[in-house]
Every structure is written in structure tokens, then in C-alpha cells.
Amino acid sequence: MATYIPQHLENVDAQSWPALVSVTEPGRIVNFRTRQAERRFAVACDKAGIALGGESPDVEVVQEELFVRLAESGWLGLAESYMAGEWTATDLTGTLTKLLGADFQPQGRRSGTSVRSASRGDGHELPADLVQLCSVDGVSMFGGLFASGVPTTVRTSTKSFVSGAGRGSEPATHFVDVTTLSAPIGVERADFDAAQQRAAESLLDAALVDQGADVLEFPSSGGTIALLASARGATVDVLTADPDHQIAVEEFITLNGATDYVHPYTLKAPFPTREEWRGRYDCIISTEKLEYLGKQGAISYLKSLDRMLTIGGFIGLQTVVATDSFGPTSRQALSVLRSYVWPALRFSTITGLHTLVDKESGLRIIAEKHFGDHYLESLRIQRELFESHLREAAAAGYDPVFRRMWIYHFALLEALFRLGHLEAVQLTLTTRNRSGRR
């Protein structure tokens, strides 16, 4: 079908945002689908308690192209329409939460392909200037643990997915210490820096990082975790496949006087081969990487961690997982992140992670710490920080479309956490055949 560029998108960079500037031209079939999409959207908003009209609407439709995009692309079209400024919401997170909660299914005909990625899935990290706009310390964008959360721990018998489990010397089950943190109380933006420090310390504790330990952080989370590990008396190697990120980490480590203890390196590929990197480590730290790699990438990543961990060593791994309530609507809603930010985005369940680790590596998960409510507050603060830095984002070269996309990205993840469709967890892994330190 023919496309055209609406007047309100004439100033959008067509090379950077091709899907946004090209809208299907009206016609008999297009108009019919558009009217259907408009009706479904109105019904979903009514069901969800979202006001579309009146003196104080929750959602204001600025351009009718919203409904064309809904008919064409479903949830991706809804996001792209927001990026194009075709609709606004007084509370974007609340609106997305209500639409997801009402199981809104626009039934678009395409789900999207990768158009432009802030992180390309080839080992490159988010740009340092973008991370700075969303963080307190200027280098970290991982979820934090706030002080007011109360932990409850239960030792749970967990099924083993190792081949031959239940026969011979391989037990059918093993014990996992499952800790759940209660929701934080009275969280403010000023608490976020300490919360990220607390999350980093928790990961270091999970990996038993102490005096004299050889530690690997792979990939780098910006320098904060490596710096805290060095403060415990550990020697830290930091691996990244992004040369620009290595430079940023080196600057951070130099400014904090830890160059004798923290050593950043750039890899030639996202996952180091045995020939490129022969280091073996007592402790490995991984922060929010596994979910962006896809299944095959996650397998390659786990095998790399397995190879680089000493027998009896420990891994502290922080990641976001899907819960049992995560379904097709949640998956469709995330299509915008796969299209524009993380092409291989895939949230496994916690059982799926146990299965993956048992079947694809010589590792085993022995502890879980769940902190979804804390992660939700982290996302809210990161979104608010970015919104407060919109002028700086513009000065850094992020155009209005990108800025709206980045706000939408935070709001969407917030909505999925609010509904309990996503959960954040810190895992402790060790070698299955281990001896020594624990």
C-alpha cells in the first residue's frame, strides 16, 4: 500500500526513524481497519477507566494517525505513535498499566523489526551520556535495593534439570535459599544512589567477594561495582566489547584512584573465546545482561561464565525475569523495545533460568533474592531523572522522537512491574562439582 508523510512529521529524520515518517495512505481497506482500531481503543480505554474526553482527559489524541498505526502495528504502533507525538497522557505509566491490565489487544498486522538500537546486541553498551541522564552517580543504570525492604528467606527444594537427575550420583532436587524483600517505604530520589550501592554490595556478597579475591565483572556496569569490589581488597578485571564504554570506565576508575586494582579490557567479540581470554576467577559479577541476549546468546554467555569461574567459585547475577502472569499482551507491548533498543530482548521465567543453567552449563543456582518492588521504584526514579534532563538530552543530540521513546520505555517497564508481570532477582550461582569456600 502507498504511504505518505503527514505534515506533523515533516521535520522527523526519516533515516533514523523510517517507520515513524511513513504512514499508510488512507483508502477503503485502510479506513475500515482504522475505524476498527479506533473502536477497539475506545472500548479498551472505557474498560480500563481511561478518560479520552471531557475537561480533564487522561489521554489526548493529537493526530488521527494513532489509529492507522494501531491497525497496522498493534502495541508497536501505539508506542510509535507516542514517539511521534500523536497522543499524550497525563500519567503515561498509569495509562499503560491500565491498558495492559485490561488486556488491550490492538491486533496489528506487523510486530516490527529492529530499526534503530540504542544497544545493538553486539556487545555495545548504552551510550555513556544517555546513562548519565538517567542516573545519580553518572555511570550506573541498574536497579537498586532500598533500605526499608525487609527480607524473608525460605530454603526451598528445587527440581534439577541436569541430564540424568535422579539417577546415579546426580540428585533429583537441590536446595535454593529464596529471599523476598518487602516493598520499600517512602522512597525519594535522594535514596537512589544508596540503593544502587546496596544492590552492588548485595551482588558482591552473593559472589563472596573478599580480601584477595580475583574478581571479574562481565560485562561492565559502568565502574561502580568494580570500585566497590576493589574497596574490599579484591583485584578486578572488567570486560566489555564496547571500546567507548571501556574509555568511560577507565576515566571513572582513574578519578576514584583505583587503577591499581581495577583493570578494564575491550574484547574483540561479545563473548570471549578461550584463546582471547584465559583468565579464571574466584568471583564473577553480572548485572542485567542476560535478558538482552536472546536464548542462544544467553547460552553462549553462561558457557563463558562457566569457563572463567574457578571450581568452587561464585557468581552474583542480577536480572529481570517474567512471572507466571506474563502473557501474550505483555510480550506484544514489549515489541517497541525489541524494535528500537534491544533486538534480542527476552525475559525468561525463574524456572526457565534454572533449566537453562542446569542444561547448558556446569553451574547451579543456589540462592535467589527477589526485589521487584524495589526495581519498580528504581525505574520510576530513572524515568523522572531523564525527564528532568530533557534539555541536556537535546544538547547531547537526542531528538524529540528518541526522548519520547526513552520515556515510554521506562513507563512500559514500570507498568509491567506494577502488574507483577516482571520481577527482579539477584542469583547466586556456583559450580555443581565444587569444593572449598562454602
Side-chain angles (χ1 to χ4, degrees):
M1 294 183 181
T3 61
Y4 73 107
I5 299 177
Q7 186 176 359
H8 67 280
L9 298 177
E10 288 178 352
N11 294 325
V12 173
D13 184 349
Q15 185 173 356
S16 296
W17 309 103
L20 259 68
V21 299
S22 299
V23 180
T24 303
E25 193 170 11
R28 181 181 299 176
I29 295 176
V30 173
N31 288 341
F32 174 72
R33 289 173 178 161
T34 300
R35 287 195 299 272
Q36 283 188 317
E38 183 176 4
R39 179 183 59 81
R40 282 194 293 266
F41 184 67
V43 169
C45 287
D46 183 64
K47 178 181 177 182
I50 298 170
L52 292 176
E55 295 183 359
S56 302
D58 299 316
V59 170
E60 181 181 358
V61 179
V62 182
Q63 303 290 342
E64 294 297 313
E65 280 77 12
L66 162 63
F67 306 116
V68 178
R69 296 185 196 275
L70 281 171
E72 287 287 316
S73 312
W75 270 97
L76 176 60
L78 181 71
E80 289 179 333
S81 185
Y82 184 84
M83 292 158 59
E86 293 165 356
W87 65 277
T88 63
T90 55
D91 176 7
L92 180 59
T93 300
T95 296
L96 295 177
T97 302
K98 289 177 180 179
L99 286 174
L100 286 164
D103 198 28
F104 175 48
Q105 297 185 13
Q107 301 177 6
R109 295 185 300 124
R110 72 178 181 93
S111 60
T113 55
S114 181
V115 179
R116 165 180 170 159
S117 296
S119 176
R120 296 189 291 272
D122 56 1
H124 285 72
E125 305 298 333
L126 293 176
D129 57 359
L130 180 59
V131 173
Q132 189 172 18
L133 295 167
C134 311
S135 63
V136 176
D137 64 4
V139 297
S140 305
M141 239 188 80
F142 53 85
L145 298 175
F146 295 92
S148 53
V150 178
T152 302
T153 302
V154 178
R155 175 157 284 194
T156 304
S157 179
T158 302
K159 179 182 176 180
S160 173
F161 297 94
V162 176
S163 177
R167 300 191 299 272
S169 61
E170 184 62 43
T173 62
H174 63 280
F175 287 108
V176 177
D177 291 331
V178 180
T179 300
T180 303
L181 287 180
S182 64
I185 300 172
V187 171
E188 298 179 359
R189 190 181 299 183
D191 302 323
F192 189 45
D193 187 33
Q196 286 189 309
Q197 298 265 331
R198 197 172 292 107
E201 295 285 8
S202 178
L203 278 174
L204 296 177
D205 290 342
L208 271 64
V209 175
D210 53 15
Q211 181 77 32
D214 289 322
V215 177
L216 171 68
E217 187 187 10
F218 170 53
S220 166
S221 61
T224 297
I225 293 177
L227 187 66
L228 291 172
S230 71
R232 296 188 177 198
T235 301
V236 188
D237 286 345
V238 180
L239 299 186
T240 177
D242 188 333
D244 292 335
H245 186 80
Q246 181 194 341
I247 292 171
V249 173
E250 285 178 338
E251 291 176 351
F252 178 79
I253 294 302
T254 300
L255 285 172
N256 286 276
T259 53
D260 290 341
Y261 307 100
V262 180
H263 312 110
Y265 300 94
T266 299
L267 298 169
K268 296 177 182 178
F271 309 114
T273 62
R274 188 182 301 273
E275 290 71 24
E276 182 182 9
W277 201 260
R278 295 182 177 274
R280 299 289 296 274
Y281 299 90
D282 306 312
C283 319
I284 299 178
I285 305 297
S286 169
T287 313
E288 297 178 23
K289 185 65 174 180
L290 201 60
E291 55 268 49
Y292 304 126
L293 298 174
K295 185 174 181 180
Q296 290 306 312
I299 291 172
S300 297
Y301 182 57
L302 285 171
K303 289 184 181 297
S304 294
L305 298 185
D306 188 8
R307 178 176 59 79
M308 293 187 289
L309 187 68
T310 59
I311 297 296
F314 290 86
I315 298 171
L317 186 151
Q318 180 165 310
T319 190
V320 173
V321 296
T323 67
D324 292 339
S325 63
F326 184 95
T329 302
S330 305
R331 192 172 294 107
Q332 291 166 21
L334 287 166
S335 59
V336 63
L337 303 191
R338 288 189 293 271
S339 292
Y340 290 96
V341 189
W342 296 290
L345 178 67
R346 176 179 176 271
F347 294 116
S348 177
T349 62
I350 193 68
T351 300
L353 285 185
H354 278 276
T355 304
L356 191 70
V357 170
D358 281 359
K359 288 187 173 182
E360 302 294 343
S361 75
L363 303 170
R364 166 154 286 160
I365 297 171
I366 60 170
E368 305 168 11
K369 180 182 287 185
H370 296 256
F371 63 107
D373 291 320
H374 295 249
Y375 201 92
L376 171 60
E377 292 294 334
S378 299
L379 288 168
R380 175 184 63 81
I381 292 172
Q382 288 173 323
R383 174 178 52 79
E384 291 175 353
L385 284 167
F386 184 73
E387 289 174 333
S388 70
H389 292 144
L390 290 180
R391 288 186 179 181
E392 293 89 335
Y398 296 105
D399 66 15
V401 174
F402 185 96
R403 299 197 297 270
R404 285 191 290 263
M405 181 197 74
W406 206 237
I407 291 169
Y408 187 98
H409 133 267
F410 280 125
L412 176 60
L413 292 175
E414 283 180 79
L416 291 168
F417 270 90
R418 277 190 187 181
L419 293 167
H421 296 179
L422 293 179
E423 167 72 302
V425 62
Q426 289 187 345
L427 304 174
T428 302
L429 297 83
T430 190
T431 53
R432 284 203 296 272
N433 298 317
R434 61 189 179 89
S435 62
R437 299 193 306 148
R438 185 159 174 162

